[in-house]
Short mmCIF file of all heavy atoms in Angstrom, two decimals:
data_model
loop_
_atom_site.label_atom_id
_atom_site.label_comp_id
_atom_site.label_asym_id
_atom_site.label_seq_id
_atom_site.Cartn_x
_atom_site.Cartn_y
_atom_site.Cartn_z
N SER A 68 118.72 106.07 92.44
CA SER A 68 118.98 105.18 93.48
C SER A 68 119.15 105.93 94.88
O SER A 68 119.93 106.89 94.92
CB SER A 68 120.15 104.22 93.30
OG SER A 68 120.34 103.36 94.37
N THR A 69 118.37 105.50 95.88
CA THR A 69 118.65 106.01 97.27
C THR A 69 119.14 104.74 98.09
O THR A 69 118.61 103.63 97.86
CB THR A 69 117.53 106.68 97.99
OG1 THR A 69 116.34 105.68 97.92
CG2 THR A 69 117.12 107.93 97.28
N PHE A 70 120.05 104.97 98.98
CA PHE A 70 120.56 103.83 99.76
C PHE A 70 121.40 104.39 100.82
O PHE A 70 121.86 105.51 100.94
CB PHE A 70 121.48 102.94 98.88
CG PHE A 70 122.60 103.72 98.19
CD1 PHE A 70 123.86 103.89 98.79
CD2 PHE A 70 122.32 104.39 96.97
CE1 PHE A 70 124.87 104.60 98.07
CE2 PHE A 70 123.28 105.04 96.30
CZ PHE A 70 124.53 105.17 96.90
N ARG A 71 121.47 103.62 101.95
CA ARG A 71 122.32 104.04 103.11
C ARG A 71 123.81 103.85 102.75
O ARG A 71 124.28 102.88 102.18
CB ARG A 71 121.98 103.17 104.31
CG ARG A 71 122.83 103.62 105.50
CD ARG A 71 122.43 102.78 106.80
NE ARG A 71 123.42 103.01 107.81
CZ ARG A 71 123.50 102.33 108.87
NH1 ARG A 71 122.65 101.28 109.06
NH2 ARG A 71 124.45 102.58 109.73
N HIS A 72 124.56 104.96 103.08
CA HIS A 72 125.99 104.92 102.82
C HIS A 72 126.68 105.60 104.02
O HIS A 72 126.22 106.69 104.46
CB HIS A 72 126.33 105.65 101.56
CG HIS A 72 127.71 105.56 101.10
ND1 HIS A 72 128.20 104.38 100.53
CD2 HIS A 72 128.68 106.44 101.13
CE1 HIS A 72 129.46 104.60 100.33
NE2 HIS A 72 129.81 105.86 100.66
N PRO A 73 127.78 105.13 104.50
CA PRO A 73 128.40 103.86 104.07
C PRO A 73 127.60 102.69 104.64
O PRO A 73 127.26 102.69 105.83
CB PRO A 73 129.80 103.91 104.59
CG PRO A 73 129.78 104.81 105.84
CD PRO A 73 128.62 105.80 105.51
N PHE A 74 127.41 101.70 103.86
CA PHE A 74 126.85 100.48 104.28
C PHE A 74 127.07 99.47 103.12
O PHE A 74 127.19 99.85 102.02
CB PHE A 74 125.16 100.75 104.47
CG PHE A 74 124.48 99.76 105.35
CD1 PHE A 74 124.91 99.50 106.65
CD2 PHE A 74 123.48 98.97 104.74
CE1 PHE A 74 124.22 98.58 107.39
CE2 PHE A 74 122.84 98.06 105.46
CZ PHE A 74 123.14 97.81 106.83
N TYR A 75 126.87 98.16 103.48
CA TYR A 75 127.16 97.20 102.41
C TYR A 75 126.24 97.46 101.17
O TYR A 75 125.15 97.82 101.36
CB TYR A 75 126.64 95.77 102.98
CG TYR A 75 127.01 94.65 101.98
CD1 TYR A 75 128.24 94.17 101.93
CD2 TYR A 75 125.96 94.21 101.18
CE1 TYR A 75 128.52 93.13 100.98
CE2 TYR A 75 126.20 93.19 100.19
CZ TYR A 75 127.53 92.75 100.09
OH TYR A 75 127.79 91.76 99.22
N PRO A 76 126.79 97.45 100.00
CA PRO A 76 128.05 96.96 99.51
C PRO A 76 129.16 98.07 99.48
O PRO A 76 130.17 97.79 98.67
CB PRO A 76 127.78 96.36 98.16
CG PRO A 76 126.68 97.26 97.69
CD PRO A 76 125.98 97.64 98.82
N TYR A 77 129.09 99.02 100.22
CA TYR A 77 130.15 100.11 100.39
C TYR A 77 130.56 100.70 99.09
O TYR A 77 131.72 100.91 98.79
CB TYR A 77 131.37 99.54 101.15
CG TYR A 77 130.94 98.97 102.45
CD1 TYR A 77 130.88 97.52 102.67
CD2 TYR A 77 130.63 99.75 103.44
CE1 TYR A 77 130.54 97.00 103.85
CE2 TYR A 77 130.24 99.16 104.74
CZ TYR A 77 130.16 97.84 104.90
OH TYR A 77 129.78 97.32 106.02
N CYS A 78 129.56 101.00 98.18
CA CYS A 78 129.84 101.63 97.02
C CYS A 78 128.67 102.51 96.63
O CYS A 78 127.65 102.61 97.20
CB CYS A 78 130.13 100.66 95.89
SG CYS A 78 128.78 99.56 95.46
N GLY A 79 128.85 103.31 95.44
CA GLY A 79 127.72 104.05 94.85
C GLY A 79 127.71 105.44 95.28
O GLY A 79 126.73 106.15 94.73
N ALA A 80 128.48 105.94 96.14
CA ALA A 80 128.40 107.31 96.62
C ALA A 80 128.63 108.39 95.37
O ALA A 80 128.11 109.42 95.40
CB ALA A 80 129.39 107.54 97.69
N ASP A 81 129.47 107.90 94.44
CA ASP A 81 129.65 108.81 93.32
C ASP A 81 129.77 107.98 91.97
O ASP A 81 130.64 107.16 91.90
CB ASP A 81 131.03 109.52 93.46
CG ASP A 81 131.36 110.50 92.32
OD1 ASP A 81 130.45 110.86 91.56
OD2 ASP A 81 132.51 110.76 92.13
N SER A 82 128.80 108.18 91.08
CA SER A 82 128.73 107.38 89.93
C SER A 82 129.58 108.07 88.81
O SER A 82 129.91 107.29 87.86
CB SER A 82 127.26 107.21 89.47
OG SER A 82 126.79 108.37 88.91
N SER A 83 129.74 109.30 88.92
CA SER A 83 130.49 110.02 87.81
C SER A 83 129.80 109.81 86.53
O SER A 83 130.45 109.76 85.53
CB SER A 83 131.92 109.71 87.83
OG SER A 83 132.50 109.98 89.08
N ASN A 84 128.49 109.74 86.54
CA ASN A 84 127.68 109.53 85.25
C ASN A 84 126.41 110.18 85.41
O ASN A 84 125.72 110.14 86.32
CB ASN A 84 127.51 107.96 85.27
CG ASN A 84 126.99 107.40 84.05
OD1 ASN A 84 126.09 108.07 83.44
ND2 ASN A 84 127.47 106.29 83.58
N ASP A 85 126.04 110.87 84.26
CA ASP A 85 124.82 111.75 84.38
C ASP A 85 123.54 111.01 84.17
O ASP A 85 122.45 111.52 84.35
CB ASP A 85 124.89 112.91 83.39
CG ASP A 85 125.06 112.50 81.92
OD1 ASP A 85 125.18 111.33 81.67
OD2 ASP A 85 125.00 113.39 81.06
N HIS A 86 123.59 109.74 83.89
CA HIS A 86 122.35 108.93 83.79
C HIS A 86 122.29 108.00 85.06
O HIS A 86 121.34 107.08 85.07
CB HIS A 86 122.09 108.20 82.45
CG HIS A 86 123.11 107.10 82.13
ND1 HIS A 86 122.79 105.87 82.37
CD2 HIS A 86 124.38 107.20 81.60
CE1 HIS A 86 123.86 105.16 82.03
NE2 HIS A 86 124.80 105.91 81.55
N ILE A 87 123.19 108.00 85.91
CA ILE A 87 123.19 107.29 87.16
C ILE A 87 123.04 108.28 88.35
O ILE A 87 124.02 108.95 88.64
CB ILE A 87 124.41 106.40 87.36
CG1 ILE A 87 124.65 105.56 86.20
CG2 ILE A 87 124.28 105.57 88.66
CD1 ILE A 87 123.75 104.36 85.92
N ILE A 88 121.83 108.38 88.90
CA ILE A 88 121.53 109.40 89.96
C ILE A 88 121.59 108.68 91.30
O ILE A 88 120.56 108.15 91.79
CB ILE A 88 120.24 110.03 89.73
CG1 ILE A 88 120.00 110.55 88.23
CG2 ILE A 88 120.02 111.20 90.68
CD1 ILE A 88 121.15 111.43 87.69
N ASN A 89 122.77 108.59 91.85
CA ASN A 89 122.90 107.89 93.19
C ASN A 89 122.80 109.02 94.29
O ASN A 89 123.45 110.08 94.26
CB ASN A 89 124.26 107.30 93.33
CG ASN A 89 124.43 106.02 92.52
OD1 ASN A 89 123.37 105.32 92.32
ND2 ASN A 89 125.59 105.61 92.09
N VAL A 90 121.97 108.64 95.27
CA VAL A 90 121.73 109.62 96.39
C VAL A 90 121.99 108.85 97.64
O VAL A 90 121.10 108.11 98.20
CB VAL A 90 120.30 110.21 96.41
CG1 VAL A 90 120.18 111.23 97.55
CG2 VAL A 90 119.97 110.73 94.98
N PRO A 91 123.16 108.89 98.16
CA PRO A 91 123.51 108.16 99.49
C PRO A 91 122.86 108.90 100.61
O PRO A 91 122.83 110.09 100.65
CB PRO A 91 125.07 108.23 99.52
CG PRO A 91 125.56 109.19 98.49
CD PRO A 91 124.34 109.47 97.46
N LEU A 92 122.27 108.09 101.50
CA LEU A 92 121.58 108.66 102.67
C LEU A 92 122.42 108.11 103.87
O LEU A 92 122.91 107.01 104.02
CB LEU A 92 120.24 108.08 102.76
CG LEU A 92 119.33 108.26 101.59
CD1 LEU A 92 117.97 107.55 101.72
CD2 LEU A 92 119.10 109.77 101.31
N LYS A 93 122.53 109.05 104.92
CA LYS A 93 123.24 108.73 106.08
C LYS A 93 122.28 107.90 107.05
O LYS A 93 121.11 107.95 106.90
CB LYS A 93 123.58 110.00 106.85
CG LYS A 93 124.62 110.84 106.19
CD LYS A 93 124.89 112.14 106.89
CE LYS A 93 125.91 112.96 106.15
NZ LYS A 93 126.20 114.18 106.69
N GLY A 94 122.92 107.06 107.88
CA GLY A 94 122.19 106.33 108.88
C GLY A 94 121.29 107.29 109.65
O GLY A 94 121.70 108.39 109.93
N GLY A 95 120.09 106.88 109.90
CA GLY A 95 119.17 107.74 110.60
C GLY A 95 118.32 108.62 109.74
O GLY A 95 117.52 109.49 110.25
N THR A 96 118.54 108.60 108.44
CA THR A 96 117.85 109.53 107.53
C THR A 96 116.27 109.41 107.71
O THR A 96 115.70 108.34 107.83
CB THR A 96 118.15 109.23 106.05
OG1 THR A 96 119.48 109.51 105.84
CG2 THR A 96 117.22 109.92 105.08
N SER A 97 115.66 110.61 107.85
CA SER A 97 114.23 110.64 108.15
C SER A 97 113.29 110.67 106.89
O SER A 97 113.84 110.80 105.69
CB SER A 97 113.91 111.91 108.90
OG SER A 97 114.19 113.05 108.10
N SER A 98 112.10 110.61 107.06
CA SER A 98 111.07 110.66 105.98
C SER A 98 111.39 112.03 105.19
O SER A 98 111.34 112.01 104.01
CB SER A 98 109.72 110.69 106.47
OG SER A 98 109.34 109.42 106.95
N ALA A 99 111.44 113.15 105.88
CA ALA A 99 111.59 114.44 105.28
C ALA A 99 112.89 114.44 104.44
O ALA A 99 112.79 114.99 103.36
CB ALA A 99 111.62 115.60 106.36
N ASP A 100 113.98 113.95 104.92
CA ASP A 100 115.24 113.94 104.30
C ASP A 100 115.19 113.05 102.97
O ASP A 100 115.72 113.40 101.99
CB ASP A 100 116.45 113.44 105.12
CG ASP A 100 116.66 114.52 106.19
OD1 ASP A 100 116.32 115.74 106.04
OD2 ASP A 100 117.23 114.18 107.26
N PHE A 101 114.48 111.91 103.03
CA PHE A 101 114.26 111.02 101.96
C PHE A 101 113.52 111.68 100.91
O PHE A 101 113.97 111.73 99.72
CB PHE A 101 113.62 109.66 102.38
CG PHE A 101 113.19 108.81 101.23
CD1 PHE A 101 114.04 108.08 100.49
CD2 PHE A 101 111.84 108.79 100.95
CE1 PHE A 101 113.62 107.34 99.41
CE2 PHE A 101 111.37 108.03 99.90
CZ PHE A 101 112.25 107.32 99.08
N ARG A 102 112.45 112.35 101.25
CA ARG A 102 111.59 112.98 100.33
C ARG A 102 112.28 114.18 99.63
O ARG A 102 112.19 114.40 98.41
CB ARG A 102 110.24 113.45 101.01
CG ARG A 102 109.39 112.27 101.44
CD ARG A 102 108.15 112.72 102.02
NE ARG A 102 107.30 111.58 102.54
CZ ARG A 102 106.03 111.57 102.55
NH1 ARG A 102 105.28 112.63 102.10
NH2 ARG A 102 105.40 110.44 103.00
N GLU A 103 113.08 114.91 100.37
CA GLU A 103 113.79 115.96 99.83
C GLU A 103 114.85 115.47 98.83
O GLU A 103 115.10 116.03 97.76
CB GLU A 103 114.58 116.68 100.97
CG GLU A 103 115.33 117.96 100.47
CD GLU A 103 114.52 118.95 99.80
OE1 GLU A 103 113.35 119.11 100.07
OE2 GLU A 103 115.10 119.69 98.96
N ALA A 104 115.57 114.32 99.18
CA ALA A 104 116.45 113.71 98.19
C ALA A 104 115.77 113.36 96.88
O ALA A 104 116.37 113.58 95.80
CB ALA A 104 117.10 112.42 98.86
N VAL A 105 114.59 112.75 96.95
CA VAL A 105 113.79 112.37 95.75
C VAL A 105 113.43 113.65 94.95
O VAL A 105 113.63 113.73 93.76
CB VAL A 105 112.65 111.59 96.07
CG1 VAL A 105 111.65 111.39 94.92
CG2 VAL A 105 113.04 110.19 96.60
N ILE A 106 112.92 114.59 95.69
CA ILE A 106 112.52 115.84 95.02
C ILE A 106 113.63 116.64 94.36
O ILE A 106 113.53 117.11 93.24
CB ILE A 106 111.78 116.83 96.09
CG1 ILE A 106 110.38 116.29 96.46
CG2 ILE A 106 111.60 118.24 95.45
CD1 ILE A 106 109.75 116.90 97.59
N THR A 107 114.82 116.64 95.08
CA THR A 107 115.92 117.45 94.63
C THR A 107 116.76 116.68 93.53
O THR A 107 117.20 117.35 92.57
CB THR A 107 116.88 117.75 95.76
OG1 THR A 107 116.21 118.46 96.81
CG2 THR A 107 118.13 118.57 95.39
#
């Protein structure tokens, strides 16, 4: 999952679970940063 954080519903920044891959994105995240998050 990618999502803006902090933003509604204000959760998900840390799943503490190896099969839940949460990638919080800061407001203003660009295409390049989104793609890097997916790749990484």
Side-chain angles (χ1 to χ4, degrees):
S68 180
T69 57
F70 52 93
R71 182 176 168 194
H72 187 75
F74 199 63
Y75 184 84
Y77 306 104
C78 62
D81 180 22
S82 72
S83 300
N84 190 319
D85 61 355
H86 68 97
I87 307 290
I88 313 302
N89 285 333
V90 185
L92 304 172
K93 295 179 182 177
T96 290
S97 68
S98 292
D100 292 335
F101 168 74
R102 291 179 186 213
E103 182 62 28
V105 169
I106 290 167
T107 302

